[in-house]
Each structure stands twice: as structure tokens, then as C-alpha cells.
Amino acid sequence: MPRDLACGLAAFALLPVWAEEGPPQRAPVTQFAPLLRAALDAPGGTAHGVLAGLVAAAFKRQFGTGGEIGIDVSTIVRYAQPGCARLRVDVSQEGVKLSAQAAPQRQQVRFELNYCSDGLPPRSLATGAAR
């Protein structure tokens, strides 16, 4: 089989795998808590959303952009207390202008927090088995 044909067939065979790995589906949320709980419950420990509502509108107005405010939550470690974990939250927005003269650019902020499905922090930071 010619080498170019073999490479083409190999790429074609992998196409469905690549297609499945596109951008995450983002649920609209008006606050972070639903995404934090979703990440706690998700087998892979992640959740993705886009901020909607009055807060999102205020940010878009403040920074002169119509870009979505993406929120990505991922589990860093699960604690022994059921429903509790250390979560990383990444918030990003495209086209942000920090001043009238500034060029639009992507802005991102990352923070971590200890969180339980009841909305409170864990009573202990003892780790449990990852699920």
C-alpha cells in the first residue's frame, strides 16, 4: 500500500476520536454553585458552564465585550467526607478591554476552594479514595 494512502486511512480512522474531543458543552448558569456541585457528582470530576444573567451582562458591559464568560471546574482531590473535594475554577472571557485604549484580549482567573455538595467547606481535609 502506498505510504500516502496508509497515512490517509490512519487519519480517517482516528477522525471520530478527534471529533468527540471538541470543546466542552457549557450549561448556562447564573452562579457558580451548580457547576461546583456538578463537578463533585461527575465521574470525571469536571463541569463546564457559561455565566448568564445580570452578572454576566454587567461584566460584558464593564469590559466592552460580547464574549461568553466560560467557567470550567475540575476536581483536584476528593476528601474522605462524602461529597467534598478541592476544586479548581477557571473563569475566562475573550475580547476583554481593560481600558479604552487597550486591545481586546482573553482574560482568565483561576482559584481553588474546598467545597462540599451542601455548600459548606469540609469538616476535615483527610483525603479519600478517588472515584
Side-chain angles (χ1 to χ4, degrees):
M1 177 181 301
R3 183 173 173 218
D4 290 342
L5 180 59
C7 289
L9 289 174
F12 183 75
L14 291 175
L15 188 60
V17 173
W18 293 337
E20 291 175 17
E21 302 229 357
Q25 295 296 317
R26 295 187 176 279
V29 295
T30 57
Q31 51 186 305
F32 287 76
L35 290 175
L36 300 177
R37 286 191 299 273
L40 290 173
D41 294 339
T46 63
H48 309 281
V50 60
L51 192 61
L54 296 175
V55 173
F59 273 101
K60 289 177 181 184
R61 224 176 9 262
Q62 174 68 34
F63 295 115
T65 181
E68 288 186 340
I69 301 169
I71 305 167
D72 298 300
V73 181
S74 55
T75 301
I76 297 170
V77 64
R78 294 196 186 271
Y79 295 121
Q81 184 179 340
C84 299
R86 176 108 182 141
L87 301 174
R88 179 177 59 225
V89 181
D90 290 297
V91 182
S92 61
Q93 186 176 27
E94 298 290 341
V96 173
K97 291 182 71 172
L98 296 177
S99 70
Q101 306 85 338
Q105 59 185 348
R106 176 182 169 81
Q107 292 293 317
Q108 182 171 341
V109 65
R110 172 180 284 174
F111 61 92
E112 295 180 5
L113 71 155
N114 296 320
Y115 190 80
C116 297
S117 55
D118 62 5
L120 298 173
R123 292 185 299 277
S124 166
L125 299 183
T127 59
R131 62 173 188 163

